[in-house]
Amino acid sequence: HSLWTTKVGRPVWQPLPPVHHAAVRFFERRDGVTTFCTGLAIGGLAVHSKSLRKHRQARFTALAGKKKKKDAGPESVYKASVLLPNTEFSQRAQAKTREVEIQNLWKNEQVYEKLQDQSHPNGSFTLHDGPPYANGSLHMGHALNKILKDTINKFKAVTGHKVKYIPGWDCHGLPIELKVLQNLKMAERKALTPLKLRECAANFAKETVQEQRSSFERYGVWGDFEEPYLTLLPKYEAAQLGIFEEMVQGGHIYRGRKPVYWSPSTRTALAEAELEYPEGHTSQSIYVAFKCTGELPGEFAKFDDLEVAIWTTTPWTIPANRAVAVNPDLEYVVARAEWDPEDGRPPRHLVVAEGLREALAELLQARLTVESSFKGSLLEGLKYEQPISGVESPVVIGGDYITTESGTGLVHTAPGHGQDDYIVGMKYKLEVAAPVDDAGNFTEEVGLASLVGANVLKDANDKVIEILEERGTLLKRKAYKHKYPYDWRSKKPVITRATPQWFASIDGLKKDVLKAIGEVQFIPENQANRMRPMIEGRSDWCISRQRNWGVPIPAFYHKETGEALLTPEVIKHVKGIVSEKGTNAWFELSVAELLPEEHRGDAESYEKGTDTMDVWFDSGSSWAYVKEILGAPVDLYLEGSDQHRGWFQSSLITSVAAQGHAPYKSVMTHGFCVDENGRKMSKSVGNVIDPRDIIEGGKNPKTQPALGADTLRWWACGVDFSSDVSISQAILATCASDVTRIRNRARFLLGNISDFNASSDSVVYDDLAVVDKYIISKAEAVFVQVEKDYSSYNFASATKALDRFISQELSALYLDLAKDRLYIEAKDSQIRRSSQTVLRWLLISSAQVMSPVLCHLAEDIWQFLPGEKEPSVFLSGWWKKFPGRPDEAQQIIADFARALDARNPVNLALEKARAQKLLGGGVEARAVLTVVEGSEMHSALSAIASSPHQAADGLKILMGVSELELVPVQTLPDVEESEEAVLPVQQRSEELGVVATLTRADGLKCERCWIRCKTVGASAAHPTLCSRCVSVVQGLGMTSAPTPAGLPV
């Protein structure tokens, strides 16, 4: 047909004889030029293609997510008959606002509270929260910790456990004091009284608690945030004093002068858990010869210049030296040390360990010739001259800490500056000398005026070395790089110094504590033996601190004798006062008011102590505060791996001392957060990631977009937290992509059940299509595995299994196979309702299963779920098996799974055909599957070929082609590779026993379903449709092909 226009750019409508709905070609004349054009003939009308551009639409496969091509062609007039997904569930998470809306929904619906009021067939589950320090903003370690706890709690809650989570905060101690002092001007600091400091510290801690609480809740964490436990609460402080009372009653608390870790920078004693050991510390180590004195015993008498050689990395402790210790079982020698003549040094006779003689010779650049050898025990009783004071001191027997790994094998012993030294000193009744003040400066007790005032961490080492060199006792000075303790708060070195302190005796508790450890489950299992050696090697616990902000040790001291008054009765009385007024009462009330009645008459003779308790004693008492609510022992403690020497241990010691058992049944640890290169996060390195920036977005939205709390939760639960965990913007981007993919799959499911009424449209299990039964079996297996992983706290495995199922079995397989019947079949057809029944069950179950981790997404899905439901996904319970599904395995599902394998050779053949431009896709293809007759594959394919729901799971649907023929043979034919790009294309799989042969499908392409079918054109009323689609559109009342909207009739 030739069509002409009389006006440029205006379509021409020319009546044509009635013809089938088909594409037509025609000429158009513009400005005297004739061009060849395309159009559409519809019921006697020729329509210019330009008039159809605004109606263009990709078919249902494109509508499912593929991008339209620029010239996709005219829109089908049957568009309205295709049942495309329909939902208001947003494709974008819009997490900054939507997550907050969901959190408000939880609060308004009181979901956390309702879960506690429900029946709990599985009893209670108690996870006791370790208190973070209330001294600043949260970091990634906090986020990891709290999200893991919340995931566990949510899982336990939805699986029939009663879960009550009481968040806590550590509010006392030096870090908060320092924060307060940093915010004060110099004049304000000078005017600061203990009570005013405590008031400022309490206010700062409470403000920080509110800030951190807001962040935790933004992570999606549930808990009793309205009634948390704070270590500054009077009730908490009273509970802590109750533990202290029990320990005093049991004889576990004493006062003594012992070496403790002391921080000159913060002027207080420290516990081991308050130390850190940064890399790169260098000490000035020295090798010194102490001259032996008096009458030398036995074979030593022949050496009139005998000296014992020692090595130390703390030269400043030499003035406090009171002995030299040896290992009785090591081999020692008297070695003649000789230097080259040009060195100008006289020979010496040095006592050293034989195992270190050669290393020392190299170090000293001298020849060490053995003149006598003997066991270390022979050295006991030998005397030497202390090189600073000149006092005669003994050689003593030490312990197995004396080795031949380094040094000389003889250990300089200063009982006031080392724990091993102190133990040896007690054995030999040595003086516990520590001539160092709180600031780390030498006092007059040091014995030399030139040393008084020197700081042991600054100039004292050089001054002591200078004196030793002047007196001829210095053998060698050498820089020594090693790990050295630093104050974890001030980040400055500490010293070991004997001071009067309060101690908890570990020796008296050690046996019971070790027994309790043996009854605890450690997660991961490789952490089981980590705490035991710490307890076995632990010295007594110094529990006193020289600070104002803390729980006072309720001791009174006699003004004349200095004797301490600390009895269970005194503590009990003070505890009663504290429970009402808080520990400020210790600073506010008089001695008479604080003493119990039986001691009140002697009040004038006593003064209050000024020591406060170690903050690890504070947090280690938390089990006592929550005991009435959570019970004891609780099910789980979960913190970072460093808490084996911190909160886990302090809680264990106090609990065993006060109630005879551990406060927990299980202890679980996670690693630290590092960057993608394994480096610790540091502001100086610039690799710190703020959890708030992940959720809300950073300063630069392009590099730090707002990813939402669910992305942060997906990361936390997707990593192997048994060791250090990596995080970076690239890792977070991957996590965000995972969450978005899951969201979009959920959106697809929601869109396809928008017209489904579960009460009237559901299909029973026995009537489901085979493919529907198959996906149910796969889903249930995954959900069972995820539940098992959740139960064992293997969240990484759980999230991977869930993500893999949604991406592969559900999306890439089932949804791909189901699209045709969901979009094309009649709305109320059984095979469509069959799929919708399964989709709704899958959606509900998936939301329930993902809810402990992706709590916001699960709730968002739930709120858009059509039909009657609980107000929250968390109130709907845990996933349940598909109703009516038998427990035993079904052969037809096994056959379907095996038949799926045949897709591989078909897909490979399709790829070849596409690459050679022989076929555009599976809908253009006819497949012949040649299989060995009687084989398992033949049986499986035959079973699927005879299933009653061929439109849902027939072989051509399964293989993604328009036609399929199954051909059994005795022997699998060979496949000849053609060098020319011609059909047929073949692919052989020896393993499966299948040959797939592809040719072009017969018939025309159905305009509505796109499948090539011989029935297309059979209907005069709908000439472009296949018989299936004709039946569907006629059921909708379309007796003939409709006219496109907007076209003239």
Side-chain angles (χ1 to χ4, degrees):
H1 306 277
S2 294
L3 303 180
W4 300 87
T5 112
T6 56
K7 190 172 183 179
V8 176
R10 181 175 180 177
V12 171
W13 312 103
Q14 173 66 43
L16 296 172
V19 295
H20 293 325
H21 177 176
V24 296
R25 296 179 295 178
F26 58 91
F27 295 102
E28 180 181 57
R29 189 177 183 91
R30 292 173 182 264
D31 299 329
V33 178
T34 302
T35 56
F36 194 67
C37 303
T38 60
L40 189 67
I42 305 175
L45 292 176
V47 185
H48 195 291
S49 61
K50 286 184 178 181
S51 297
L52 292 173
R53 282 177 187 163
K54 64 179 180 179
H55 299 293
R56 284 175 184 160
Q57 167 201 30
R59 295 299 188 269
F60 64 81
T61 51
L63 287 168
K66 295 180 181 178
K67 187 177 180 181
K68 294 182 188 178
K69 293 183 179 180
K70 186 174 181 180
D71 295 317
E75 179 181 83
S76 172
V77 294
Y78 294 103
K79 173 188 175 182
S81 72
V82 177
L83 300 172
L84 297 176
N86 179 34
T87 179
E88 293 182 3
F89 183 77
S90 176
Q91 185 174 1
R92 297 180 179 273
Q94 299 171 331
K96 283 185 70 172
T97 56
R98 183 56 180 159
E99 287 182 347
V100 175
E101 292 171 358
I102 289 170
Q103 290 169 5
N104 289 333
L105 179 146
W106 290 333
K107 290 180 181 178
N108 295 335
E109 291 290 342
Q110 296 183 312
V111 174
Y112 171 69
E113 292 78 10
K114 287 179 180 178
L115 282 168
Q116 295 180 53
D117 295 336
Q118 290 181 345
S119 61
H120 304 103
N122 293 322
S124 64
F125 174 81
T126 50
L127 189 160
H128 179 35
D129 186 35
Y133 225 88
N135 70 325
S137 300
L138 301 177
H139 53 66
M140 286 305 305
H142 291 113
L144 174 65
N145 179 260
K146 280 297 191 289
I147 289 171
L148 291 176
K149 290 176 180 176
D150 187 65
T151 300
I152 293 171
N153 281 335
K154 281 187 168 73
F155 168 67
K156 293 294 184 179
V158 296
T159 52
H161 297 81
K162 181 173 183 178
V163 175
K164 190 171 183 64
Y165 178 65
I166 305 174
W169 276 270
D170 205 343
C171 301
H172 287 138
L174 182 61
I176 294 171
E177 268 197 53
L178 292 177
K179 287 282 188 179
V180 169
L181 294 173
Q182 288 169 6
N183 294 330
L184 296 178
K185 296 178 181 177
M186 185 59 67
E188 292 174 322
R189 291 188 191 183
K190 291 181 179 179
L192 204 60
T193 64
L195 271 173
K196 184 63 179 176
L197 172 62
R198 288 173 62 84
E199 179 186 347
C200 293
N203 290 335
F204 176 87
K206 290 174 182 177
E207 290 173 3
T208 304
V209 165
Q210 290 304 312
E211 177 193 337
Q212 292 187 0
R213 167 191 169 174
S214 176
S215 295
F216 288 145
E217 289 184 296
R218 185 61 185 87
Y219 300 164
V221 176
W222 291 350
D224 288 10
F225 284 102
E226 296 297 332
E227 296 183 2
Y229 77 83
L230 310 179
T231 60
L232 56 71
L233 294 175
K235 186 178 178 182
Y236 187 101
E237 293 170 331
Q240 181 175 334
L241 288 173
I243 295 175
F244 189 64
E245 177 189 346
E246 291 287 341
M247 295 181 72
V248 170
Q249 181 76 49
H252 303 302
I253 303 296
Y254 71 93
R255 183 170 173 80
R257 188 170 185 272
K258 296 177 61 174
V260 295
Y261 289 113
W262 182 270
S263 174
S265 59
T266 54
R267 310 288 180 90
T268 187
L270 299 176
E272 174 67 36
E274 297 171 293
L275 305 175
E276 58 186 20
Y277 295 82
E279 299 290 339
H281 179 88
T282 300
S283 295
Q284 289 298 322
S285 72
I286 56 173
Y287 294 79
V288 186
F290 293 172
K291 182 175 176 57
C292 293
T293 61
E295 186 176 344
L296 299 180
E299 62 179 281
F300 299 125
K302 61 185 177 182
F303 303 109
D304 56 3
D305 60 345
L306 188 65
E307 297 172 297
V308 289
I310 64 94
W311 171 70
T312 181
T313 60
T314 53
W316 62 267
T317 61
I318 293 293
N321 173 272
R322 294 298 181 266
V324 168
V326 296
N327 188 323
D329 299 321
L330 287 181
E331 191 76 17
Y332 290 85
V333 298
V334 174
R336 180 178 174 83
E338 297 177 287
W339 287 266
D340 291 336
E342 58 269 21
D343 194 83
R345 302 174 68 176
R348 320 175 77 133
H349 283 94
L350 302 176
V351 177
V352 297
E354 167 60 20
L356 288 161
R357 180 174 58 85
E358 291 184 2
L360 284 168
E362 183 177 352
L363 177 77
L364 299 177
Q365 294 183 323
R367 294 178 297 280
L368 294 182
T369 306
V370 176
E371 297 192 355
S372 179
S373 61
F374 42 84
K375 288 290 186 181
S377 56
L378 196 63
L379 290 167
E380 186 178 21
L382 204 64
K383 304 291 184 181
Y384 67 90
E385 180 183 309
Q386 212 268 23
I388 300 295
S389 65
V391 174
E392 188 174 69
S393 303
V395 175
V396 298
I397 299 299
D400 55 11
Y401 63 90
I402 304 172
T403 68
T404 56
E405 292 181 3
S406 59
T408 65
L410 295 92
V411 175
H412 144 62
T413 300
H417 293 299
Q419 184 59 35
D420 290 328
D421 298 19
Y422 175 81
I423 293 171
V424 172
M426 290 299 96
K427 178 181 175 182
Y428 286 91
K429 295 182 171 52
L430 303 176
E431 179 190 7
V432 183
V436 180
D437 65 16
D438 292 356
N441 298 323
F442 275 137
T443 65
E444 291 184 358
E445 296 174 3
V446 74
L448 279 180
S450 60
L451 292 177
V452 175
N455 188 275
V456 300
L457 293 175
K458 296 177 181 177
D459 57 341
N461 278 336
D462 288 337
K463 289 189 175 185
V464 169
I465 293 172
E466 185 179 341
I467 292 170
L468 295 175
E469 195 165 21
E470 288 175 357
R471 298 184 179 183
T473 61
L474 183 68
L475 295 173
K476 181 73 174 179
R477 174 178 184 169
K478 186 176 186 296
Y480 182 70
K481 185 177 287 188
H482 64 133
K483 288 190 174 182
Y484 188 87
Y486 277 61
D487 185 331
W488 70 324
R489 300 172 181 108
S490 65
K491 308 300 181 183
K492 293 183 179 179
V494 304
I495 61 175
T496 304
R497 170 186 177 232
T499 59
Q501 301 288 344
W502 288 97
F503 295 88
S505 173
I506 302 301
D507 286 338
L509 292 167
K510 192 169 291 185
K511 180 179 178 181
D512 292 335
V513 171
L514 291 172
K515 179 184 177 184
I517 289 176
E519 297 168 354
V520 173
Q521 179 191 13
F522 287 87
I523 307 167
E525 291 183 3
N526 60 11
Q527 300 290 317
N529 294 321
R530 186 167 179 183
M531 197 188 301
R532 178 174 291 277
M534 292 179 181
I535 294 294
E536 289 173 340
R538 179 165 185 166
S539 58
D540 288 349
W541 176 11
C542 178
I543 62 170
S544 53
R545 296 293 181 271
Q546 289 65 54
R547 309 308 306 177
N548 287 314
W549 179 228
V551 175
I553 293 177
F556 299 86
Y557 300 92
H558 197 278
K559 292 178 180 178
E560 294 183 3
T561 65
E563 184 179 351
L565 174 62
L566 183 68
T567 65
E569 293 75 23
V570 168
I571 301 171
K572 186 174 183 180
H573 181 74
V574 174
K575 180 181 69 175
I577 296 172
V578 167
S579 66
E580 295 181 7
K581 301 182 178 182
T583 50
N584 274 356
W586 183 260
F587 298 85
E588 295 169 338
L589 302 182
S590 66
V591 172
E593 292 172 301
L594 291 168
L595 282 171
E597 188 173 348
E598 59 267 31
H599 294 286
R600 203 162 291 161
D602 299 325
E604 291 297 324
S605 301
Y606 286 95
E607 59 186 5
K608 292 178 286 186
T610 58
D611 291 337
T612 54
M613 290 190 193
D614 175 17
V615 290
W616 289 111
F617 200 103
D618 285 22
S619 60
S621 304
S622 60
W623 60 264
Y625 179 80
V626 300
K627 182 178 179 180
E628 292 182 5
I629 306 171
L630 302 183
V634 299
D635 291 300
L636 183 64
Y637 273 35
L638 167 56
E639 301 298 330
S641 56
D642 58 331
Q643 295 307 314
H644 281 289
R645 66 186 183 102
W647 187 56
F648 295 155
Q649 195 172 141
S650 64
S651 299
L652 179 66
I653 292 170
T654 57
S655 179
V656 170
Q659 58 181 1
H661 59 76
Y664 38 68
K665 298 176 184 176
S666 301
V667 164
M668 182 173 165
T669 55
H670 59 76
F672 296 100
C673 295
V674 296
D675 66 14
E676 67 269 32
N677 298 314
R679 298 175 301 176
K680 181 180 177 181
M681 292 198 166
S682 169
K683 290 183 179 179
S684 61
V685 177
N687 61 351
V688 173
I689 296 179
D690 190 330
R692 289 176 300 187
D693 291 343
I694 296 173
I695 296 173
E696 306 290 343
K699 294 179 180 179
N700 187 339
K702 291 184 178 180
T703 58
Q704 293 179 304
L707 302 178
D710 271 1
T711 295
L712 184 61
R713 295 176 70 96
W714 187 254
W715 164 80
C717 295
V719 296
D720 177 10
F721 55 81
S722 63
S723 57
D724 288 350
V725 296
S726 297
I727 186 166
S728 66
Q729 292 299 334
I731 292 171
L732 288 169
T734 300
C735 292
S737 176
D738 292 344
V739 176
T740 299
R741 182 172 60 252
I742 294 171
R743 180 179 189 84
N744 287 335
R745 298 302 177 270
R747 183 172 183 266
F748 182 85
L749 267 63
L750 283 167
N752 278 288
I753 61 171
S754 59
D755 62 354
F756 180 77
N757 187 321
S759 60
S760 59
D761 298 335
S762 295
V763 177
V764 298
Y765 180 82
D766 288 342
D767 294 337
L768 295 177
V770 176
V771 65
D772 297 332
K773 294 178 179 179
Y774 171 81
I775 198 61
I776 289 171
S777 69
K778 297 294 289 185
E780 288 188 352
V782 170
F783 296 157
V784 167
Q785 182 61 47
V786 169
E787 183 174 354
K788 182 180 178 181
D789 288 336
Y790 278 158
S791 298
S792 60
Y793 310 132
N794 190 356
F795 303 128
S797 176
T799 54
K800 285 181 176 62
L802 185 61
D803 184 40
R804 187 166 51 246
F805 168 72
I806 291 174
S807 300
Q808 297 178 14
E809 280 90 352
L810 179 60
S811 180
L813 176 63
Y814 180 73
L815 296 182
D816 187 57
L817 296 177
K819 284 174 186 174
D820 180 81
R821 54 176 159 149
L822 287 170
Y823 297 170
I824 301 302
E825 294 291 341
K827 176 181 177 180
D828 295 322
S829 65
Q830 186 184 32
I831 59 171
R832 184 170 182 272
R833 293 306 191 195
S834 172
S835 181
Q836 287 182 308
T837 302
V838 174
L839 289 182
R840 190 173 194 277
W841 174 82
L842 283 168
L843 191 64
I844 291 173
S845 300
S846 296
Q848 290 168 332
V849 168
M850 75 174 71
S851 64
V853 180
L854 299 177
C855 53
H856 302 93
L857 176 56
E859 190 64 78
D860 206 6
I861 293 168
W862 189 263
Q863 294 306 312
F864 283 89
L865 182 70
E868 294 184 4
K869 57 183 182 288
E870 295 288 345
S872 168
V873 65
F874 292 98
L875 298 176
S876 68
W878 191 233
W879 81 276
K880 301 173 183 64
K881 286 183 59 178
F882 192 93
R885 180 176 181 267
D887 293 331
E888 63 274 7
Q890 294 178 283
Q891 183 59 46
I892 190 64
I893 294 177
D895 289 338
F896 187 87
R898 186 175 296 278
L900 280 175
D901 292 337
R903 285 165 57 97
N904 294 332
V906 172
N907 287 337
L908 288 172
L910 275 171
E911 287 303 316
K912 288 182 184 178
R914 285 195 192 97
Q916 296 174 355
K917 298 182 179 181
L918 298 173
L919 293 173
V923 291
E924 297 182 10
R926 178 181 189 274
V928 175
L929 291 181
T930 305
V931 295
V932 176
E933 187 173 9
S935 65
E936 291 183 352
M937 179 60 75
H938 179 221
S939 299
L941 292 172
S942 298
I944 301 305
S946 59
S947 72
H949 303 291
Q950 287 296 297
D953 48 32
L955 288 181
K956 70 175 184 178
I957 300 295
L958 191 59
M959 302 303 158
V961 295
S962 289
E963 293 181 59
L964 189 139
E965 180 184 358
L966 182 63
V967 178
V969 295
Q970 295 298 317
T971 304
L972 208 62
D974 293 329
V975 173
E976 295 183 5
E977 293 289 341
S978 174
E979 294 182 0
E980 299 181 8
V982 295
L983 293 173
V985 173
Q986 290 185 304
Q987 182 68 38
R988 177 189 175 106
S989 173
E990 195 70 39
E991 180 184 359
L992 298 175
V994 175
V995 172
T997 304
L998 298 187
T999 57
R1000 187 173 298 278
D1002 295 331
L1004 300 174
K1005 180 180 179 181
C1006 174
E1007 181 188 349
R1008 185 170 174 272
C1009 70
W1010 284 23
I1011 292 175
R1012 286 187 174 273
C1013 181
K1014 296 176 183 178
T1015 64
V1016 174
S1019 169
H1022 301 282
T1024 60
L1025 302 188
C1026 65
S1027 59
R1028 176 182 65 159
C1029 288
V1030 168
S1031 175
V1032 173
V1033 299
Q1034 286 180 341
L1036 294 173
M1038 299 170 66
T1039 56
S1040 62
T1043 302
L1047 300 185
V1049 178

